[in-house]
Amino acid sequence: MIRMAITKDIENLHDVHLHDQLPAVEEVRTNVATRHRICFSKKCKQFSVICGSLLIVILIFIVTTITVVAHKKFVRNIEEDSSAIRLKQVVDFLSDYSHEDNLSSPESPQFKAAQWMAFEDSKKGLPLQEGGRFLQRYALMVLYYATGGERWLYDLYFGNPNRDECHWNRNRDQKYPLGVQCKDNNSRITGLTLTAMEMKGNLPSELSLLSNLEYLLLDSNALSGTIPSSLRTMKSLASLSLTHNNYSTLLPKWLGRLQNLKVLRLSHNNFKGTLPHDLENLTSLRILALDYNSLSGNFSLMQEMTWLEALYLGSNQLTGLLHDRDFSSMKSLQILDLSDNQIQGSFPASGLLQHKSLRELDLSFNQLTGSVDLP
């Protein structure tokens, strides 16, 4: 009994001692809370570091973006200012050659050509360095925009800023290549052939800026309006051909000022009025083709042009009396077409039958009388 009591007392003492060693409940709660706070504090610090880093990255990105955008805007403003200055220089330079109203109208061919010269043409600076070359390119671009160049049948490289204007063509090995022709690679345009290109609209007066042009061949298109009178200044022009177009005005009198003209073809249009006496001034002319128009008046005027080799006046409304010795003074005449007019007289006319150089003669569909004995 005594031993069991002692053992129980010892156990009680041990429990008491163990109980004394255990922390109190509040102490445990406090320790747990402290640990949680410490843990939470560490996570907060880590989270703060991460957030701060992200914030710094975002700020750097924003600052960089703003800087880049500002720089681009600055560069763009400089470029816009430079472009505006360039355009003003171009327009100022061209104001001596094109009407101011045309250069200020955004829809005009002149304005579009000026913009092309200012913003797209790779040969910038030409107004100050080489005015002739600049004006050549400008004149071609005005023609391009004025006649619907975007819808031309063939691509002739018009408006290609990286090509010399002498290379705005195709079939360069031909005598008359389609497009621009320059002589001896001296960059001066001497010929322009744009036949059957589906050109539409009016020819611009700026064509006269091609001051070295020797031939202008624009047949088989849909050109209309008036032939620009500025062409009368083209002293080198030897051949002008505008057949099969839609011209319906009077025959221009200023054509008589083209002193070096050798070939004039205006057939298959609807030119009206009488044959202008000014044509007698074309002493270099060899071929005159005015057939298939609506010309009236007396045909005999043409006999004064004794130097002609070919005269086409058929399918008009010409009148007059065919005399016996008509055309006898035209010693070089080889081809004469007076068909489908209202010419009167008797036939044969000895002046024509005895003509030594005449190879082709057409007097059909007139009001002539008489007969010819055929072998």
Side-chain angles (χ1 to χ4, degrees):
M1 291 293 291
I2 296 173
R3 183 179 297 176
M4 292 178 60
I6 294 171
T7 303
K8 186 174 182 180
D9 291 338
I10 291 172
E11 290 178 353
N12 290 335
L13 288 174
H14 183 267
D15 291 339
V16 170
H17 180 72
L18 181 64
H19 182 269
D20 291 338
Q21 291 181 346
L22 290 174
V25 173
E26 293 300 327
E27 185 179 354
V28 170
R29 289 178 180 175
T30 302
N31 290 338
V32 170
T34 302
R35 290 194 191 96
H36 278 225
R37 282 198 298 270
I38 293 172
C39 180
F40 182 75
S41 177
K42 289 181 179 179
K43 290 183 179 179
C44 283
K45 288 181 180 179
Q46 293 176 352
F47 182 75
S48 298
V49 171
I50 293 173
C51 289
S53 301
L54 288 175
L55 183 61
I56 292 173
V57 171
I58 292 172
L59 289 175
I60 292 174
F61 175 76
I62 293 174
V63 171
T64 303
T65 302
I66 293 175
T67 303
V68 171
V69 170
H71 178 70
K72 288 183 177 179
K73 185 176 181 181
F74 176 73
V75 172
R76 185 167 60 250
N77 289 337
I78 293 177
E79 291 177 348
E80 289 177 354
D81 291 341
S82 301
S83 298
I85 293 172
R86 169 68 179 172
L87 180 60
K88 185 178 184 303
Q89 291 175 340
V90 169
V91 170
D92 288 344
F93 178 79
L94 295 174
S95 61
D96 292 334
Y97 306 97
S98 294
H99 198 279
E100 184 177 348
D101 291 342
N102 292 331
L103 287 172
S104 60
S105 175
E107 299 302 319
S108 72
Q110 290 80 7
F111 181 86
K112 293 178 181 179
Q115 275 197 319
W116 183 85
M117 299 296 297
F119 302 145
E120 298 184 39
D121 189 15
S122 62
K123 295 184 176 297
K124 295 180 179 179
L126 283 176
L128 303 177
Q129 301 174 8
E130 198 173 344
R133 291 291 307 283
F134 183 90
L135 291 176
Q136 281 189 159
R137 293 172 77 80
Y138 172 68
L140 292 173
M141 290 308 298
V142 174
L143 175 65
Y144 178 82
Y145 288 119
T147 59
E150 302 92 339
R151 297 177 297 277
W152 284 358
L153 186 59
Y154 302 109
D155 179 13
L156 302 179
Y157 303 101
F158 271 60
N160 187 324
N162 300 315
R163 289 176 73 104
D164 189 282
E165 64 270 24
C166 290
H167 296 161
W168 290 358
N169 54 37
R170 60 189 297 177
N171 303 325
R172 296 185 61 199
D173 55 333
Q174 297 182 3
K175 181 179 181 181
Y176 298 109
L178 195 60
V180 177
Q181 174 80 13
C182 295
K183 181 180 290 186
D184 301 328
N185 295 321
N186 60 8
S187 298
R188 291 183 301 175
I189 297 176
T190 56
L192 183 59
T193 302
L194 296 171
T195 57
M197 286 289 293
E198 298 184 0
M199 301 172 72
K200 296 181 180 180
N202 299 348
L203 291 179
S205 61
E206 285 79 6
L207 263 181
S208 61
L209 296 177
L210 303 177
S211 56
N212 297 297
L213 206 63
E214 296 176 5
Y215 64 86
L216 178 60
L217 312 179
L218 305 177
D219 307 286
S220 301
N221 286 292
L223 299 173
S224 57
T226 60
I227 305 174
S229 59
S230 61
L231 298 188
R232 68 182 183 275
T233 63
M234 303 179 74
K235 304 301 182 183
S236 300
L237 195 62
S239 181
L240 174 61
S241 189
L242 298 171
T243 66
H244 293 88
N245 277 288
N246 297 330
Y247 289 108
S248 58
T249 63
L250 296 176
L251 206 59
K253 293 183 178 180
W254 57 260
L255 289 172
R257 300 181 61 175
L258 299 174
Q259 296 294 317
N260 291 317
L261 202 61
K262 296 180 180 180
V263 178
L264 176 59
R265 298 182 184 273
L266 302 176
S267 308
H268 292 272
N269 281 283
N270 194 28
F271 284 108
K272 299 178 174 63
T274 59
L275 297 169
H277 287 270
D278 303 76
L279 294 179
E280 297 179 7
N281 299 325
L282 301 177
T283 55
S284 298
L285 198 64
R286 295 296 177 264
I287 300 175
L288 176 60
L290 301 175
D291 48 319
Y292 292 93
N293 281 289
S294 298
L295 298 171
S296 58
N298 199 310
F299 75 92
S300 60
L301 166 67
M302 297 294 99
Q303 297 186 64
E304 302 299 326
M305 303 176 70
T306 57
W307 47 86
L308 285 178
E309 297 177 1
L311 176 59
Y312 300 89
L313 295 175
S315 299
N316 279 287
Q317 301 167 19
L318 299 174
T319 59
L321 186 63
L322 184 64
H323 296 286
D324 187 54
R325 301 295 300 175
D326 280 346
F327 299 100
S328 59
S329 61
M330 302 179 71
K331 304 298 184 183
S332 301
L333 191 63
Q334 301 177 33
I335 300 173
L336 176 62
D337 180 8
L338 296 175
S339 63
D340 198 12
N341 280 288
Q342 302 170 24
I343 299 173
Q344 300 178 344
S346 59
F347 195 84
S350 59
L352 289 174
L353 294 181
Q354 297 174 11
H355 203 293
K356 294 182 178 180
S357 61
L358 195 63
R359 295 186 291 106
E360 297 181 21
L361 173 63
D362 191 348
L363 299 175
S364 62
F365 298 100
N366 277 289
Q367 301 174 20
L368 302 175
T369 60
S371 60
V372 177
D373 294 330
L374 297 177

